[in-house]
Amino acid sequence: MKVLIIEDDENIVESLSLSLRMRWPDVVVSSTGMGEEGLQLVETFSPDIVILDLGLPDINGFEVLRQVRLFSDVPVIILSVLGDEDDIVRGLEMDADDYIVKPFKKMEFLARVKSLVRRKNVPVDLTVYERGDYKVFLSLHHLYYKENKVTLTKSECLIFYKLIQNANSVVTYSGIARELWGDEYPGSIEAIRVYVQRLRKKIETVTGNNAVIETKSNVGYIFNLQE
Ligand code: CA
């Protein structure tokens, strides 16, 4: 496994590299503190996953992400500073695959990496799940409601799939966390809330209804489906 870390804080680079090596002794880590060089490394090093800081000295992480997405669908985890929820939402809109808020726990970081690398290895197929007026192409992350289409991120697609499979009954935060990361971690509920907020808006664009995913306070969500 090849991991590229684009982050200008050397202490963070060091601790991420160490965590990765302890978990996967064969991992090959490359790093840079500059966005432009990071872009070049995505091409020349061809990593299996990219860890991307948003605040970089030359071009910011959003610009790096935008340019990466012009030529690569490599999984990208963005590193965000605590409290910058707008940054997270913007990063996910720009097709980052996941995010971690600094300071983060080692276990949380490794879980994110593991789930994305695992997902990347799932063979691409055209599996379609249909229920009610919804149709979702699971590997393309395309969601249709009747004739209206919206593209989801991978994480949004996994959450949508989990919710619609269990339509009209409660899906707990921990159920969603296990679907996304294989386990629950500190901070996972906050992360799920951000994803669901995005997903709800996207579903609203195709259905005109913002109550499709209903929040069950402190428990999880219900996907309201009329069949
Ligand atoms: Ca930084």
Side-chain angles (χ1 to χ4, degrees), residues 122-129 136-141:
V122 172
V124 173
D125 60 33
L126 293 174
T127 305
V128 183
Y129 179 86
V136 61
F137 289 80
L138 295 172
S139 55
L140 298 170
H141 326 126

Side-chain angles (χ1 to χ4, degrees), residues 129-135 163-168 225 227:
Y129 179 86
E130 268 190 279
R131 190 159 173 193
D133 289 321
Y134 296 90
K135 185 194 270 191
L163 291 176
I164 197 168
Q165 280 179 301
N166 298 282
N168 303 320
L225 184 72
E227 287 175 299

Side-chain angles (χ1 to χ4, degrees), residues 6-9 12 33 53-57 81 102:
I6 308 174
E7 159 69 87
D8 59 322
D9 184 329
I12 292 180
D53 180 34
L54 293 176
L56 296 166
V81 177
K102 295 190 262 192

